Amino acid sequence: MRSTADSVLQPSDEVAEALASGAPVVALESTIISHGLPQPRNLEVARELEEIVRAAGAVPATIAVLDGVPRIGLDAAGLERIATESGLRKLGQRDLPMAAALKASGATTVSATSFLAARAGVRIFATGGLGGVHRGWTVDQDESADLDTLARTRITVVCAGVKSILDVPATLQRLETRGVSVVGYRTDAFPGFYLHTSGLPIDWRIESPEEAAAIMRGQDAFGGQETALIVANPVPVDQQLDPELHDRVLAEALAAAERDGVKGQAITPFLLGYLVDGTGGASLEANLAAVRGNVALASRIAVSWADS
Ligand code: PSU
Ligand code: MN
């Protein structure tokens, strides 16, 4: 028998009720918890991010696949599983049918989370930094599936730009080519993930969550291709990683990845982990500051969107 998206996705009761009544919901991804942050801090962070959403008057929907079932909103036991279970896979959008058929469990990346959130009817999503074009693309063509999904998924992603381990100018170029709208939140510069700025300009700037909601209404009104809106929200200057330390340790991390032949799905967690160790944990604090700010802003956008 054929099944539809509705019968495959499993929203939590709380998320299902919120969606049915038009209350604000914010999607949160699980790869950052399972593969992007060290244990045991990751479980505290998973809980804290949900609290930030609730404090703003919205409902958190952390997304992951458990035993083959895409969950839209996790209970306490589910959160604990994604933070502590060994052998959890990292699932992009293309992995979802296999995970479902083979009853696998895994954390969802920006691509899988955006895809599932949009299908469940969740319009706003917060993460740390997007994936993008990797340095060395000319040799191995490693471009995160995040970009392709965002080029054909109607979702608003609040992020601190793209991860600084990437080729940031090439990633911005790809977003332009693929027609993904990008706005800076109270900034004219594209954020640099761990850093307040990447040094690259953005064409559009907004000052309020209401302006983000207005752009979203505009996307729907134009009715073109179902693209995403990226709201780029920089980590505050006083909470960023020291730029010199960042540049030095990142150069070491990239050299180590090259030397060890780290590629594909493993490269992003490898580089993020190297930065945490190499900066004595300072990159972790900057990453968390960025994510917290993004979750708070996404919640305000969700509230504004629900009111509009
Ligand atoms: N943001 C963070 N930490 C992370 C990620 C994002 O602060 O670990 C994850 C996201 O899930 C993103 C993924 O989709 O890294 C990108 O992986 P890849 O480059 O293999 O597509
Ligand atoms: Mn990749």
Side-chain angles (χ1 to χ4, degrees):
M1 208 187 71
R2 286 173 195 263
S3 23
T4 60
D6 271 355
S7 67
V8 177
L9 304 184
Q10 195 177 101
S12 66
D13 291 345
E14 188 189 16
V15 169
E17 275 166 37
L19 290 173
S21 66
V25 179
V26 176
L28 301 170
E29 63 147 311
S30 44
T31 293
I32 179 171
I33 303 299
S34 305
H35 304 286
L37 298 171
Q39 289 187 26
R41 189 78 185 274
N42 62 345
L43 178 56
E44 284 165 43
V45 173
R47 290 175 176 149
E48 186 194 344
L49 298 181
E50 293 210 339
E51 274 315 305
I52 293 173
V53 177
R54 288 183 202 285
V59 171
T62 302
I63 295 182
V65 179
L66 295 178
D67 309 312
V69 181
R71 303 284 199 93
I72 315 298
L74 298 176
D75 56 13
L79 273 192
E80 207 165 316
R81 281 188 67 182
I82 61 159
T84 60
E85 201 165 291
S86 60
L88 273 188
R89 300 189 64 132
K90 174 177 162 186
L91 307 172
Q93 184 193 329
R94 70 171 187 161
D95 302 308
L96 294 172
M98 284 79 89
L102 305 176
K103 313 249 178 297
S105 297
T108 50
T109 66
V110 168
S111 87
T113 307
S114 307
F115 176 82
L116 291 170
R119 260 138 205 85
V122 180
R123 181 70 179 259
I124 296 113
F125 165 31
T127 183
L130 303 179
V133 180
H134 283 261
R135 297 166 196 238
W137 183 89
T138 48
V139 177
D140 52 25
Q141 281 80 56
D142 187 348
E143 174 183 335
S144 176
D146 291 357
L147 300 189
D148 196 72
T149 302
L150 295 177
R152 51 187 167 69
T153 304
R154 186 49 47 86
I155 189 109
T156 296
V157 191
V158 183
C159 60
V162 305
K163 282 182 278 271
S164 55
I165 59 173
L166 301 167
D167 183 336
V168 181
T171 304
L172 282 173
Q173 184 54 57
R174 290 292 294 151
L175 288 168
E176 178 180 344
T177 303
R178 298 299 308 275
V180 180
S181 299
V182 181
V183 298
Y185 188 75
R186 298 185 176 169
T187 181
D188 298 309
F190 194 63
F193 187 48
Y194 300 118
L195 305 178
H196 181 74
T197 173
S198 66
L200 298 163
I202 330 185
D203 297 335
W204 295 94
R205 166 186 179 127
I206 60 171
E207 305 292 338
S208 67
E210 290 67 36
E211 284 176 343
I215 295 168
M216 292 157 65
R217 288 195 298 276
Q219 285 183 306
D220 292 351
F222 280 109
Q225 193 189 317
E226 299 251 302
T227 46
L229 168 64
I230 295 177
V231 178
N233 181 38
V235 65
V237 177
D238 61 355
Q239 294 178 58
Q240 74 172 351
L241 184 59
D242 170 30
E244 260 172 48
L245 180 64
H246 170 270
D247 293 355
R248 179 166 57 75
V249 179
L250 177 57
E252 283 170 29
L254 292 165
E258 169 100 39
R259 188 192 59 223
D260 299 351
V262 185
K263 289 199 179 311
Q265 276 206 332
I267 185 114
T268 297
F270 175 90
L271 293 172
L272 296 182
Y274 195 105
L275 268 130
V276 173
D277 296 341
T279 62
S283 77
L284 177 59
E285 296 312 318
N287 190 348
L288 292 179
V291 178
R292 284 189 198 103
N294 296 339
V295 172
L297 176 58
S299 303
R300 293 176 61 205
I301 295 173
V303 168
S304 177
W305 176 246
D307 286 345
S308 67

